């Protein structure tokens, strides 16, 4: 898929206020600071469309962008940010859960995983929660530029081993780096395939 246009639409805290359309929607989620906003900018060839920050918790709203006037891309707040207060964390959790469970145009969620780390319980819990709720997803490993190619492969294999404890089949996954612009075509072509399979 070629990116022709990508524009910000609206930010919300509530799923009921998200755009009232039926065009297919793809969301990006993961732990705070995993690189969601950076990935969205990389995928859409934009430098600052989605706001990024070295400080976890930058994205706190459901942010809709429209791509090629054809599909919505959604930047979500991160989960598992230890520094937010208990109440805030509950709120982020509720925003995310109700968006994922109730948003009808949502066809696939990309779950971002930091390729540098060993499998994190919170990521595995989130993936299992998606599975329990029958929500389609794909995995996107981020920040591949930060470790060697060998480590990228061994960390991906370790993550797959952790998934095999709960999953009979492994999900689709992509290796990406927003800094090195790696993985753009793979993710965009997957989105195109999913859109075509809907028609
Ligand atoms: P929240 O909105 O706070 O949940 O974070 P986020 O997941 O949107 O992460 P964001 O894109 O803001 O990136 C967090 C930090 O990681 C920033 O300092 C980015 O520059 C850095 N970063 C993101 N992606 C990459 C990457 O592929 N490579 C490298 N080296 N750094 C990255
Ligand atoms: Mg963000």
């Amino acid at each position: 898929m070629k990116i022709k246009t990508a524009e910000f639409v609206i930010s919300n805290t509530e799923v009921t206020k998200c755009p009232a359309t039926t065009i297919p929607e793809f969301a990006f989620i993961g732990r705070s600071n995993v690189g969601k906003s950076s990935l969205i900018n990389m995928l859409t060839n934009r430098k600052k469309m989605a706001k990024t920050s070295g400080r976890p918790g930058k994205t706190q709203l459901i942010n809709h962008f429209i791509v090629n006037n054809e599909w919505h891309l959604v930047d979500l707040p991160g989960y598992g940010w230890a520094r937010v207060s208990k109440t805030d964390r509950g709120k982020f959790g509720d925003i995310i859960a109700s968006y994922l469970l109730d948003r009808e145009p949502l066809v696939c969620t990309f779950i971002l995983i930091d390729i540098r780390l060993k499998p994190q319980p919170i990521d595995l819990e989130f993936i299992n929660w998606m599975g329990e709720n029958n929500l389609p997803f794909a995995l996107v490993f981020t920040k591949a530029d930060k470790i060697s190619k060998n480590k990228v492969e061994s960390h991906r294999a370790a993550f797959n081993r952790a998934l095999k404890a709960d999953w009979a089949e492994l999900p689709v996954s992509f290796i990406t780096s927003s800094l090195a612009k790696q993985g753009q075509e793979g993710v965009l072509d997957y989105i195109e395939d999913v859109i075509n399979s809907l028609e």
Side-chain angles (χ1 to χ4, degrees):
M1 179 193 294
K2 288 257 180 306
I3 300 292
K4 286 167 260 171
T5 56
E7 287 158 53
F8 171 74
V9 181
I10 195 168
S11 293
N12 273 300
T13 52
E14 280 167 56
V15 63
T16 52
K17 292 182 185 154
C18 290
T21 61
T22 54
I23 63 168
E25 191 156 306
F26 295 82
F28 291 79
I29 194 153
R31 284 185 314 114
S32 272
N33 221 39
V34 69
K36 298 175 293 297
S37 300
S38 303
L39 181 82
I40 286 167
N41 290 335
M42 186 273 273
L43 291 175
T44 56
N45 301 322
R46 297 300 202 87
K47 285 210 172 70
K48 291 182 181 165
M49 189 173 73
K51 294 193 180 92
T52 64
S53 163
R55 199 164 49 88
K58 178 71 184 172
T59 309
Q60 303 202 355
L61 299 164
I62 303 167
N63 300 291
H64 275 76
F65 302 88
I66 188 156
V67 183
N68 293 350
N69 285 320
E70 189 192 7
W71 55 279
H72 275 134
L73 183 161
V74 175
D75 189 12
L76 291 170
Y79 53 72
W81 177 34
R83 282 173 62 198
V84 296
S85 74
K86 272 229 168 89
T87 356
D88 272 347
R89 190 158 35 189
K91 201 168 68 193
F92 294 167
D94 286 349
I95 291 172
I96 293 169
S98 60
Y99 168 80
L100 293 169
L101 293 169
D102 299 338
R103 180 69 177 157
E104 275 177 25
L106 179 65
V107 287
C108 180
T109 299
F110 292 95
I111 303 174
L112 276 60
I113 311 286
D114 189 330
I115 193 73
R116 295 172 300 172
L117 310 177
K118 61 180 188 205
Q120 301 289 298
I122 192 164
D123 290 328
L124 295 168
E125 276 165 33
F126 186 78
I127 289 168
N128 288 342
W129 179 87
M130 292 288 285
E132 282 155 20
N133 289 289
N134 288 319
L135 295 166
F137 65 88
L139 301 184
V140 174
F141 294 99
T142 64
K143 308 194 184 186
D145 60 281
K146 289 208 167 193
I147 55 173
S148 71
K149 285 213 172 79
N150 284 342
K151 281 216 164 113
V152 164
E153 282 317 315
S154 66
H155 289 190
R156 177 193 230 180
F159 202 87
N160 283 342
R161 278 197 300 277
L163 284 176
K164 281 197 178 136
D166 296 293
W167 293 80
E169 239 178 278
L170 291 174
V172 173
S173 68
F174 302 93
I175 304 277
T176 69
S177 161
S178 300
L179 196 87
K181 225 174 162 61
Q182 179 188 348
Q184 183 190 31
E185 203 181 334
V187 175
L188 289 179
D189 287 352
Y190 182 74
I191 291 173
E192 188 169 32
D193 287 348
V194 173
I195 292 173
N196 289 337
S197 76
L198 300 171
E199 288 155 2

